[in-house]
Amino acid sequence: MTTTNIRSPLILDQLINLYDPKIMGIVIAILVVLITIGLFIVWRYKKTARKGVLLMGLSDAGKTLIYSRLLHNKFVHTHTSVKENSGEYDCGKVSLRIIDIPGHERLRAKFFDEYKGTARGIVYIIDSITFQKDIRDVAEFLYTLLSDPVVASNRLSFLILCNKQDQTMAKGCTVIKSLLEKEMNVLRTTKSSQLESTGEAATNNTFLGKKEKDFEFVHLLPIKVDFAESSASNVDPEKPVELEALEKWLIHIA
Ligand SMILES: Nc1nc2c(ncn2[C@@H]2O[C@H](COP(=O)(O)OP(=O)(O)OP(=O)(O)O)[C@@H](O)[C@H]2O)c(=O)[nH]1
């Protein structure tokens, strides 16, 4: 009896002795697990809270027609947008908020700043007929989006949608991808030398891709950039509307 009474406080002392390396180890392991679970819950919450998909691109690429097709399954006669269109797209269990951002140079930055924080992905729409003529502007705008700090920190998904494939003059998405990579490479060199001349190179995070390597979209990971083709117009009944690739991508990121 006496022996037990003397030993129990000693064992208890040992158990609550935080300086005991074993106990310290267990306490640290529990804390690490709890912090990880906490961070995971916050990350999941933030991710699911961001359910916007921005339709972006130069003016006349077909954003509003694609928006109208996707959400209302309608052909509309469009004109240059001056404000955004926004609506819910049902992806089965969840829905996404599709936002059609005006492509006009003076408006797009303002709307992008307004919506980028709530975005999960960006569909960058290209007019595949005028692509070669506008390649510089197409690449420049895309570069601006990809080098945005919010895009990088939220790891937004990108779909580059080569639209107007119903037209015979339209370039296919493989050609567009390869020409765009070449143009982004040139643009990157120009931007880097401009920054160096103003002494901002060290502080600015605008170098996209891998140093010492030609620009490739795959080098932007964890920002994932996919390419697909689409056609939003069915003025010619022989050529149907093709938005399946876009719809599959939306379900994939939802
Ligand atoms: N042939 C063809 N024409 C298309 C397609 N998608 C859009 N268009 C036409 O392209 C023109 C421009 O389409 P919009 O949807 O207004 O373009 P947008 O990108 O919203 O232009 P902004 O509002 O200026 O940003 C319209 O005449 C559309 O009918 C397509 O897949 N094929």
Side-chain angles (χ1 to χ4, degrees):
M1 282 286 279
T2 325
T3 328
T4 325
N5 279 343
I6 295 166
R7 269 187 193 164
S8 346
L10 276 174
I11 294 165
L12 213 66
D13 265 5
Q14 265 185 354
L15 272 175
I16 56 167
N17 185 0
L18 285 178
Y19 293 104
D20 183 327
K22 267 190 198 162
I23 294 173
M24 276 295 265
I26 293 168
V27 169
I28 289 171
I30 291 171
L31 279 177
V32 168
V33 170
L34 288 178
I35 290 170
T36 313
I37 292 171
L39 288 175
F40 180 74
I41 290 169
V42 171
W43 175 78
R44 279 293 300 173
Y45 173 76
K46 277 191 174 173
K47 195 169 178 247
T48 42
R50 281 189 282 111
K51 56 175 202 160
V53 174
L54 315 185
L55 304 185
M56 304 205 71
L58 301 186
S59 220
D60 270 352
K63 300 178 291 295
T64 307
L65 189 53
I66 288 178
Y67 171 86
S68 171
R69 285 279 189 212
L70 208 55
L71 275 87
H72 310 296
N73 199 17
K74 262 204 282 188
F75 177 87
V76 284
H77 289 285
T78 58
H79 23 78
T80 308
S81 312
V82 288
K83 67 191 286 294
E84 80 281 34
N85 294 301
S86 157
E88 293 287 316
Y89 179 76
D90 188 5
C91 294
K93 279 191 203 143
V94 280
S95 69
L96 292 170
R97 176 148 286 269
I98 312 286
I99 304 140
D100 161 29
I101 307 261
H104 194 287
E105 223 179 327
R106 288 209 215 121
L107 301 172
R108 61 195 186 204
K110 164 183 167 284
F111 285 106
F112 178 56
D113 285 344
E114 189 176 332
Y115 288 103
K116 64 186 178 186
T118 58
R120 179 176 301 199
I122 293 180
V123 182
Y124 189 75
I125 300 168
I126 292 177
D127 180 336
S128 312
I129 311 167
T130 58
F131 170 71
Q132 238 166 335
K133 173 174 74 71
D134 295 335
I135 188 165
R136 180 81 206 201
D137 292 342
V138 173
E140 184 108 44
F141 185 24
L142 181 59
Y143 202 105
T144 308
L145 297 179
L146 285 167
S147 51
D148 188 276
V150 174
V151 167
S153 64
N154 289 350
R155 297 175 177 192
L156 299 196
S157 301
F158 270 74
L159 176 69
I160 305 209
L161 195 61
C162 307
N163 192 35
K164 307 198 183 180
Q165 292 295 324
D166 52 296
Q167 299 292 306
T168 41
M169 295 297 282
K171 292 256 174 293
C173 85
T174 317
V175 176
I176 290 184
K177 182 180 179 190
S178 125
L179 292 173
L180 210 44
E181 283 184 330
K182 286 197 183 96
E183 191 63 33
M184 297 285 274
N185 204 38
V186 176
L187 209 53
R188 189 174 65 172
T189 316
T190 325
K191 283 190 185 286
S192 308
S193 47
Q194 274 170 359
L195 287 176
E196 261 165 40
S197 67
T198 55
E200 287 177 54
T203 51
N204 212 309
N205 186 27
T206 52
F207 189 94
L208 289 182
K210 287 191 181 166
K211 295 215 160 97
E212 320 292 340
K213 285 207 170 161
D214 282 349
F215 178 88
E216 280 181 52
F217 285 104
V218 73
H219 295 162
L220 298 178
L221 281 169
I223 295 177
K224 193 164 181 292
V225 183
D226 291 313
F227 276 77
E229 296 179 346
S230 69
S231 160
S233 171
N234 70 348
V235 182
D236 179 354
E238 296 288 301
K239 289 166 179 160
V241 174
E242 282 170 15
L243 293 176
E244 292 85 355
L246 168 61
E247 289 178 301
K248 266 191 193 158
W249 182 83
L250 289 171
I251 290 168
H252 176 70
I253 66 155

